[in-house]
Every structure is written in structure tokens, then in C-alpha cells.
Amino acid sequence: MAKSSDPVFPKPRLVSTTQDLADSLVRLRHERFLTIDTEFMRERTYWPELCLVQIGGEQDVLLIDALADGLDLTPLAELMADDAVLKVFHAARQDLEIFLYLFDALPTPVFDTQVAAMVAGYGDQVGYDSLVGSLTGHSIDKSHRFTDWSARPLTPAQLTYAAGDVTWLRLVYERLVKKLEQEKRLEWVSAEMAELADPATFRADPEKQWERLRARTNNRRMLGILRAVAAFREREAQRVNVPRQRLLKDESLLEIAATVPATVDDLTRVRGVTRGLAEGRTGLGLLEAVKAAQALPDSELPRLPKGRSKDAPRPSPALMALLKVLLTTCCEDHDVAPKLVASMDDLEALALDPTVPNPVLSGWRKRIFGDSALALRNGEIALAVKKGRVTLTPSESPSSQS
């Protein structure tokens, strides 16, 4: 039962025809901002299968049945490309990837309330239900989070759940923006949105997939084979539209790079490779990739990314521990999520060489953490505990940079 204090949202409307979609979006094109979410299936496919698009306006809540027979999503593509209307998402990456795949263009402009919540001090990657609770005091139903959105017809309970993902998001957005404006942090969020506006953020480069596999070798020939078979798997998974791990697991690729199979029989000895796969198009493609990588000249073979090599210098564990404490302290003082300020790679790079370009040494990150990190590394400040909290204090004997 709704409480008397609960906001009253527009009644959601299911849209399943192209004409209805075009007509319904006309009024939304005049909105200052829209809240958007998607429901999709991806467990059995490489490319996400869009099932439902939810759009929340001031007076309208549309639930677009993306699987409806004959539905043309062109009017939706035009709305996503309209620079005059801000598109508000929560945890936008998967939604944006879907629109990029469908329309070959990213929605613009975009605001991600999960990123904004990290800037506003609500923790690392806060969930939508938690954020709604924190900002509105309302508890939302998440019982259909793992439902089969491809099944038709959609039930009234599913539609109610789907609508909640964009109705409460309007309140979340408005209250987050107000808080960020009061704290003069809205520009911080704008700086973070640049990554979400770059298609390269969402498009997997087959030639770089090998870097994800964390190979523990400096053997460049083996790395060249790994690069080749990982790139082949990525393209093959896209072609047959199955998840890359379902096509062939990472462990199998690493074993192929190590054992260098030359025949179908060799390939069947690799864990996870069935004879059917080895004898088919995928297996033959893998063998061709191995052969091509073996023929590469040494100059074209890859190296482990900087910092991953066994011989790469490692930062002092003690210095890393100090920087982690400092990061947590600075983020507590400024009420911002540490994960948004610096990654472990950023801290390692800073510990090894503070003269190398680093995200923590520019913009707002430098102001709240980078400057203090340099001062700590240079021996100009120290960490102390006062009244149960870690604080920064001037060092009694500043030292030159180590």
C-alpha cells in the first residue's frame, strides 16, 4: 500500500508499434531530462538482446517492447541523438553499450547517477535500490531483477518493476544534482562523463583481448600466439554470437599459447577443446592463428604491458600501504568514493615515479588527493592518529624525494 507521503508517478504505458513509439516520443523531445533504463538478456549471446526500454519523463513513463513484431526503433535512435535532452542513467555502461550496438552511436548527452553518487560520497558503485533508499527513504522492489525479460507476454508485476527503474531515478537525479551544486562538485561529474561519451570505452578491441588474460611469461613468442588466438576467439564469438567464455575458456587459450598445437589432434589435447570444435571452423581458425603468430618476425611480437613483466620494478609495499591509507583519509575528509579518485594502478605508478602523467595529479583529484600524496612521498607530511581518526601533519624532518 502506498504511503500518503509517496510521490505520485505517471502510469506506465507499454509501447509496441512504430507509430505509437514515434507519437509517444514527440512530447518527450521537449523534456529537460529523461531517465532511461534497459532490460536485456545476455547469458547465451555475445551481443546483448534488448528486451525492454524504459523512459521516464515528467508526465510520461514509456515501456518500449523492443521485441515486438515489426517495431522500428528509429524514433528512439533519434531521441538518443538529441543533444537538447539530457539522458539520465544509473550505472550506464551496459545500457550505453546496447544503444551503441543498435544505433552505432552513443546517447548524448549522458548523466550517470552512480558516478554522481560516488562523487557525492555514497560509496563505491552504489546500487540503485540503495541510492533510492538513501535519497528518498523509499524501499523499491527488486524481486524481478533476474527475471527472463525475453519471455512474452510481460506480466503486470514485471512492468511495474521496470517502471520503478526510471520513476524513482528522476528524484534521485534531482536530489543528487542539488547536493552536488551546493558542494560545487557538479563539474567533477562532468569530467567523468567524458569516458562514457567515447565509443572506444564500449567496443572490445580483439587485438587487445590477450592483455586481459594475465599471462605469466615474458616469452614474446608465446605472447604473440596468445594475442592471435585471443583475437580470433573474440571475432569468432562475435560472428556466432555466443559469449567468449562459452566458445572457449581463457584457460584453454593460455594452454594453446604454451603448447603451440599444429594439428587437429594436437588441439584436442587442450583442456576444454572438444573434437567437434577442433575439427570445425573454430578449431581450424585457431590453428591458422597459431601458425600466423609463429611466422611473425620478432619485431612484431608483443610485450607484457608495462608493470606486468616479472622484471618490472615494484613499488615499496610500505609506501603503497601509506598511499592507500592516505587515499582513504583524503576521501573521508572530502566525502568521496576512493575508487573514483585513484585505482591501484594509479597508486603504483605514483609510488614508482611521480613525474609520470597520472590521473591523480590533475584536476579535482589532484586537489583532494594528488597534492597530499606528493607531499607524503616527499616526506613533507606524515600520517598521525588523533581522536581515533587518521590525520595529516607536517613532517618534523622533511626529506628530499626518494
Side-chain angles (χ1 to χ4, degrees):
M1 180 179 294
K3 302 176 184 176
S4 59
S5 59
D6 283 350
V8 177
F9 296 123
K11 184 178 179 180
R13 189 163 60 83
L14 187 63
V15 175
S16 56
T17 70
T18 303
Q19 188 61 54
D20 192 9
L21 176 62
D23 294 342
S24 299
L25 295 183
V26 168
R27 185 159 68 173
L28 293 182
R29 296 286 287 269
H30 300 287
E31 298 260 1
R32 181 172 58 89
F33 74 92
L34 297 171
T35 51
I36 303 172
D37 190 35
T38 64
E39 305 297 345
F40 58 92
M41 302 296 290
R42 199 175 194 170
E43 288 79 4
R44 299 180 297 274
T45 61
Y46 181 95
W47 304 109
E49 180 186 20
L50 180 64
C51 301
L52 193 71
V53 181
Q54 305 100 286
I55 303 181
E58 191 171 358
Q59 302 295 330
D60 301 272
V61 176
L62 303 183
L63 306 179
I64 303 169
D65 184 359
L67 298 181
D69 289 341
L71 180 65
D72 182 355
L73 291 176
T74 298
L76 179 62
E78 294 170 352
L79 174 63
M80 293 296 103
D82 189 343
D83 286 329
V85 183
L86 179 67
K87 291 83 179 175
V88 178
F89 297 83
H90 182 83
R93 286 178 177 266
Q94 292 191 87
D95 303 309
L96 297 181
E97 181 187 359
I98 289 171
F99 288 126
L100 179 61
Y101 170 61
L102 286 176
F103 305 139
D104 199 30
L106 287 168
T108 181
V110 166
F111 186 97
D112 189 335
T113 56
Q114 187 177 70
V115 174
M118 294 169 73
V119 172
Y122 288 95
D124 288 338
Q125 296 183 315
V126 60
Y128 177 62
D129 47 347
S130 297
L131 193 57
V132 170
S134 297
L135 287 170
T136 72
H138 185 87
S139 177
I140 61 175
D141 176 20
K142 300 300 289 185
S143 59
H144 290 277
R145 181 180 298 179
F146 302 110
T147 194
D148 182 356
W149 290 102
S150 65
R152 292 295 182 272
L154 295 168
T155 67
Q158 285 178 304
L159 297 177
T160 299
Y161 165 87
D165 280 343
V166 292
T167 50
W168 288 100
L169 187 55
R170 291 187 67 85
L171 291 180
V172 165
Y173 167 73
E174 290 171 338
R175 294 178 186 184
L176 269 178
V177 167
K178 182 178 180 180
K179 177 176 170 59
L180 291 166
E181 285 177 336
Q182 290 172 343
E183 297 173 352
K184 302 188 187 310
R185 295 188 180 188
L186 201 52
E187 66 177 59
W188 297 11
V189 180
S190 298
E192 297 308 305
M193 291 302 105
E195 184 178 2
L196 297 181
D198 183 0
T201 300
F202 307 94
R203 286 180 169 143
D205 182 350
E207 297 300 325
K208 292 184 178 180
Q209 288 302 301
W210 70 278
E211 297 178 3
R212 299 173 47 254
L213 304 184
R214 297 285 174 180
R216 297 181 179 180
T217 179
N218 290 327
N219 184 317
R220 294 181 64 198
R221 184 63 58 184
M222 178 177 170
L223 294 177
I225 295 171
L226 183 62
R227 179 179 64 183
V229 294
F232 173 81
R233 181 187 66 172
E234 194 70 16
R235 294 189 178 97
E236 186 73 354
Q238 293 174 356
R239 183 186 70 82
V240 299
N241 196 23
V242 299
R244 61 175 72 92
Q245 292 281 5
R246 180 168 291 192
L247 181 68
L248 195 63
K249 292 189 177 299
D250 292 347
E251 293 79 5
S252 299
L253 293 183
L254 289 165
E255 187 172 340
I256 289 171
T259 60
V260 196
T263 67
V264 168
D265 285 341
D266 293 340
L267 193 56
T268 60
R269 297 188 182 96
V270 174
R271 285 177 299 174
V273 177
T274 64
R275 178 160 289 277
L277 185 146
E279 293 178 343
R281 175 171 174 170
T282 299
L284 297 178
L286 285 168
L287 291 173
E288 284 298 316
V290 171
K291 183 178 179 180
Q294 285 183 292
L296 287 175
D298 290 348
S299 60
E300 295 182 19
L301 295 174
R303 299 180 186 273
L304 282 177
K306 189 175 181 180
R308 290 257 305 276
S309 170
K310 295 177 182 178
D311 302 324
R314 300 295 179 191
S316 159
L319 177 55
M320 282 295 295
L322 286 175
L323 288 173
K324 291 176 186 178
V325 172
L326 177 66
L327 175 64
T328 302
T329 300
C330 291
C331 291
E332 279 184 358
D333 291 343
H334 291 86
D335 198 20
V336 63
K339 186 171 184 177
L340 189 65
V341 177
S343 68
M344 288 303 102
D345 287 343
D346 295 335
L347 294 185
E348 287 190 2
L350 183 64
L352 284 169
D353 187 353
T355 66
V356 172
N358 193 313
V360 303
L361 299 179
S362 63
W364 63 270
R365 290 179 174 84
K366 185 173 186 289
R367 294 196 298 273
I368 71 168
F369 171 67
D371 287 336
S372 296
L374 290 176
L376 178 69
R377 197 183 186 286
N378 293 341
E380 296 164 3
I381 61 172
L383 299 174
V385 178
K386 294 182 179 179
K387 297 182 179 179
R389 288 179 60 87
V390 176
T391 62
L392 311 183
T393 183
S395 175
E396 294 181 0
S397 54
S399 61
S400 61
Q401 182 175 317
S402 59

